[in-house]
Amino acid sequence: MPAQAPGKYYGSEPRPFPNELLAFSWAALAQELGVTEDGAFNMAWIAVDRHVAAGRGERIAFRFLGEDERRSELSYRELAQLSDRFGNALTALGIGRGDCVFLLCERRCELYVAVLGALKIGAVVSPLFPAFGPEPIRNRMAQAGGKLLLTTSSAYRRKVLPIREQLPALQHVVLIDDLGAGPQAATLDWDSLLDAAPDRPALVPTAAADSALLHFTSGTTGTPKGALHVHQAILSHYATARQALDLQVDDVFWCTADPGWVTGMSYGILAPLAIGATSVVDVGDFDAVRWLTLLEREGVTVWYTAPTALRLLIKGGPGLFAGRHFPALRRIASVGEPLNAEAVAWAEASFGQTIRDTWWQTETGAIMLANTQSAKPGAMGRPLPGVVAHLVRRRGDSAVDGLESPEMLGEKGEEAVGEAVGELALETPWPSLFRAYLGQPERYRACFAGNLYLSGDLVRRDADGDFWFVGRSDDVIKSAGHLVGPCEVERVLMAHPAVAEAGVIGKPDALAGATIKAFVTLKHDVVASEALRSELLAHARRQLGPAVAPREIAFAECLPHTRSGKIMRRLLRARELGEPEGDNSTLE
Ligand code: WT7
């Protein structure tokens, strides 16, 4: 592993968390969120109805922006009432506690109402990416035995009808836009369903440990796993939104993720509602001009997005920013992929705001590390209050051998300090920790060793205690005896002014075990040439040393990404080596 530049703090040195964020207990938080001692605990009640009960019902929960500039707003009271109706409609259809409800539609009002209504009656909610084709839909719904699907007429016709026969558990399909033509065969219509439903409260007394959310994750490798979360996860959503995003009740928040990804659920729906803030929801996908206009015009104060989007904005060039001002914007945070230091510097120049990186996973359910109090560009930050992070090395070759007692790395052994590179492991439990991989108990057990959750991410902790991403353990390259994290190489390439994005893979090599190949995309005004290729190779060799510098660099128009914005190195590798591409359901 090459020595990493020490990393400088931007602006001020790291500050400790303020006391009100540090001195918290989960029990006290639950009390703050109105949870009573009777054992009932429902995340939708905490997210929505609690505010109505406290006289904040007229505040705006969501501001929806449609394709054609149409805007509509939904207050907390309206959201409470509509979700009651949908919950009651589900009950009338025989859907109850523990039944799985799937959602497949764009980010529109009905999706958000349905999530909360289904949670209210104890159903388990599983949102799918709206761009999924029939096979990923079938795979996920079959795994979970989904009983009800909410979708649009066109998605139903194109994607669900062809596989409906293969989903014996699927009892009801609700269409949210059955406009006038009358319900299609064997489907129900959203409007009629809601009109017929009583508008009394739909709450059933769910418990803190009842299942609530099911998020499928394939990461960048392997087949989809359904990570199950419970109602009390909202305690983590609430706490971390305050700690890591500084989200407050007066904020206009924009989380750009789709609820088909856990970010769009934890921070696109539950966290901002728990806090009582207003969220902007844009139906469209990434578009540089639209996004900047939205940030400016809607007065977004806190913006949570992903490095891919930021890099696309960088790629668009400074002209995008001419004449724009973002006086309301006070915090930008990022998640999902390493955030390179250049992107941070770019944001400071373009928005007048730094970007705070955050690290977490579908499995952790909420942010665990963040660059909140210590803004060191390129680093992911430090554990949030209440999170205890260790770096470990699994003993033995197989994960299972290593399970009993992974070796703790660092100066003082178990004390989790000092410089080290290892697998990031977190002390359990916390409210949003996943409770199962649906139907795969061994795979779930393999994620834990004693009281530690093993993340599968290789991470470096520097002498200051800041954490740096090295790579997914499955992406790490062994080249001539060196362990190379692809992100380390990508970070160096992206530091070159011509490079917009880089993806790095290992290619099998008889001599070295693997050699390193990089795929790069260039900034908008840069033309690929042999001279540039040599320059990039030399730049990488200078920064990384010959052992871990890429041997090959290929220019690409774009890199394959998952829908959540991660570079799919597995796919780059498969294409390079002419191997089967495997499960591509999350490919953007
Ligand atoms: C993986 C999790 C991302 C949150 C939602 C769930 C990678 C996440 C960072 C970061 C570098 C990151 C890790 C992690 N990742 N945050 N700040 N820097 N890498 O996402 O689909 O379950 O993916 O995303 O590899 O394990 P997910």
Side-chain angles (χ1 to χ4, degrees):
M1 189 64 49
Q4 195 139 28
K8 294 269 181 299
Y9 291 108
Y10 256 81
S12 53
E13 286 294 295
R15 289 161 292 135
F17 274 96
N19 275 340
E20 72 269 21
L21 292 185
L22 206 52
F24 81 97
S25 72
W26 294 119
L29 261 193
Q31 213 170 33
E32 193 178 319
L33 290 179
V35 175
T36 49
E37 305 261 307
D38 63 5
F41 191 120
N42 188 284
M43 55 163 60
W45 182 85
I46 289 176
V48 183
D49 300 68
R50 178 174 68 91
H51 300 295
V52 181
R56 296 189 294 270
E58 302 321 312
R59 295 187 60 85
I60 299 304
F62 289 111
R63 192 188 296 162
F64 297 100
L65 309 178
E67 284 296 4
D68 44 5
E69 304 289 306
R70 233 181 320 172
R71 304 158 94 247
S72 63
E73 290 187 332
L74 202 62
S75 70
Y76 278 87
R77 180 188 312 286
E78 290 166 323
L79 186 54
Q81 288 168 347
L82 286 169
S83 55
D84 277 339
R85 276 188 184 272
F86 185 67
N88 289 327
L90 289 177
T91 306
L93 291 172
I95 304 290
R97 230 162 143 166
D99 291 338
C100 193
V101 169
F102 275 84
L103 308 165
L104 175 76
C105 65
E106 357 31 300
R107 292 180 292 279
R108 48 189 277 177
C109 173
E110 292 85 348
L111 171 62
Y112 293 75
V113 168
V115 165
L116 293 154
L119 287 171
K120 281 185 173 179
I121 60 135
V124 178
V125 174
S126 189
L128 298 169
F129 272 112
F132 273 162
E135 177 47 30
I137 296 170
R138 189 206 58 75
N139 180 312
R140 288 158 177 79
M141 290 189 65
Q143 276 198 51
K147 281 199 176 165
L148 183 137
L149 171 70
L150 180 82
T151 189
T152 59
S153 315
S154 86
Y156 179 67
R157 251 191 332 271
R158 289 183 294 121
K159 304 172 175 181
V160 182
L161 211 46
I163 54 162
R164 189 160 176 179
E165 299 274 273
Q166 301 166 49
L167 296 170
L170 179 60
Q171 295 171 354
H172 307 285
V173 174
V174 180
L175 302 181
I176 51 185
D177 60 349
D178 213 351
L179 301 167
Q184 303 193 25
T187 63
L188 302 161
D189 160 57
W190 170 271
D191 284 336
S192 326
L193 209 58
L194 259 70
D195 285 347
D199 61 3
R200 59 169 183 266
L203 276 182
V204 310
T206 47
D210 278 5
S211 302
L213 306 167
L214 181 64
H215 283 289
F216 284 88
T217 167
S218 40
T220 37
T221 48
T223 50
K225 304 166 272 189
L228 192 65
H229 291 278
V230 297
H231 276 271
Q232 63 176 310
I234 198 163
L235 297 179
S236 295
H237 303 148
Y238 176 75
T240 56
R242 294 202 308 176
Q243 295 162 342
L245 307 176
D246 189 33
L247 196 59
Q248 313 280 343
V249 61
D250 294 328
D251 276 311
V252 177
F253 179 54
W254 186 25
C255 168
T256 58
D258 187 87
W261 187 35
V262 68
T263 308
M265 177 61 80
S266 296
Y267 297 97
I269 305 182
L270 296 163
L273 290 180
I275 282 174
T278 297
S279 285
V280 175
V281 176
D282 184 30
V283 76
D285 288 326
F286 178 85
D287 174 278
V289 171
R290 182 181 173 96
W291 276 34
L292 292 181
T293 308
L294 190 159
L295 279 171
E296 193 176 19
R297 192 187 53 207
E298 303 302 326
V300 172
T301 58
V302 179
W303 184 33
Y304 196 23
T305 191
T308 325
L310 295 164
R311 283 197 290 265
L312 284 172
L313 286 173
I314 297 175
K315 207 173 162 189
L320 279 175
F321 284 81
R324 293 189 189 272
H325 302 283
F326 308 91
L329 189 61
R330 65 177 183 83
R331 183 169 288 253
I332 309 175
S334 162
V335 68
E337 275 212 298
L339 178 68
N340 49 315
E342 291 68 31
V344 178
W346 164 87
E348 300 200 334
S350 308
F351 290 107
Q353 288 293 336
T354 193
I355 311 174
R356 319 277 178 163
D357 199 8
T358 64
W359 178 94
W360 57 294
Q361 303 177 306
T362 305
E363 289 80 354
T364 70
I367 301 169
M368 297 283 116
L369 309 179
N371 230 332
T372 311
Q373 302 305 104
S374 60
K376 195 187 274 180
M380 303 193 291
R382 300 180 182 186
L384 291 180
V387 174
V388 184
H390 298 272
L391 296 182
V392 302
R393 188 175 316 141
R394 300 190 190 206
R395 292 185 208 274
D397 276 345
S398 85
V400 181
D401 283 349
L403 268 184
E404 287 317 313
S405 56
E407 181 189 352
M408 301 279 202
L409 303 174
E411 263 167 16
K412 300 187 186 143
E414 307 226 342
E415 268 185 39
V417 291
E419 246 193 298
V421 177
E423 180 174 355
L424 179 60
L426 303 163
E427 283 186 17
T428 63
W430 61 89
S432 66
L433 175 64
F434 75 133
R435 302 306 152 103
Y437 282 135
L438 208 66
Q440 305 187 54
E442 301 76 30
R443 228 165 156 184
Y444 182 74
R445 265 195 303 277
C447 295
F448 298 90
N451 75 332
L452 293 178
Y453 163 67
L454 306 173
S455 73
D457 277 5
L458 277 190
V459 160
R460 193 174 75 87
R461 181 178 54 216
D462 69 18
D464 295 326
D466 287 299
F467 288 72
W468 298 73
F469 190 71
V470 173
R472 284 296 300 168
S473 19
D474 4 351
D475 276 342
V476 167
I477 306 162
K478 198 78 166 278
S479 180
H482 298 270
L483 214 51
V484 184
C487 302
E488 206 95 28
V489 181
E490 290 160 9
R491 201 179 276 139
V492 163
L493 287 167
M494 283 189 289
H496 190 282
V499 175
E501 190 164 52
V504 164
I505 61 164
K507 282 174 71 172
D509 180 86
L511 216 57
T515 60
I516 295 164
K517 172 158 185 175
F519 297 83
V520 303
T521 64
L522 299 174
K523 294 213 179 120
H524 74 299
D525 48 355
V526 182
V527 183
S529 68
E530 280 313 310
L532 180 58
R533 192 198 313 275
S534 315
E535 186 182 321
L536 289 176
L537 285 167
H539 162 82
R541 214 166 301 131
R542 242 185 344 263
Q543 301 286 323
L544 294 161
V548 294
R551 170 123 15 124
E552 272 178 85
I553 293 182
F555 295 116
E557 268 311 306
C558 59
L559 300 179
H561 287 98
T562 63
R563 291 180 200 287
S564 56
K566 290 188 215 310
I567 299 175
M568 289 181 89
R569 299 183 187 82
R570 171 175 66 82
L571 200 58
L572 284 173
R573 200 160 42 230
R575 288 178 181 169
E576 175 72 20
L577 305 178
E579 287 170 354
E581 295 191 357
D583 171 40
N584 282 347
S585 58
T586 57
L587 179 67
E588 173 69 60

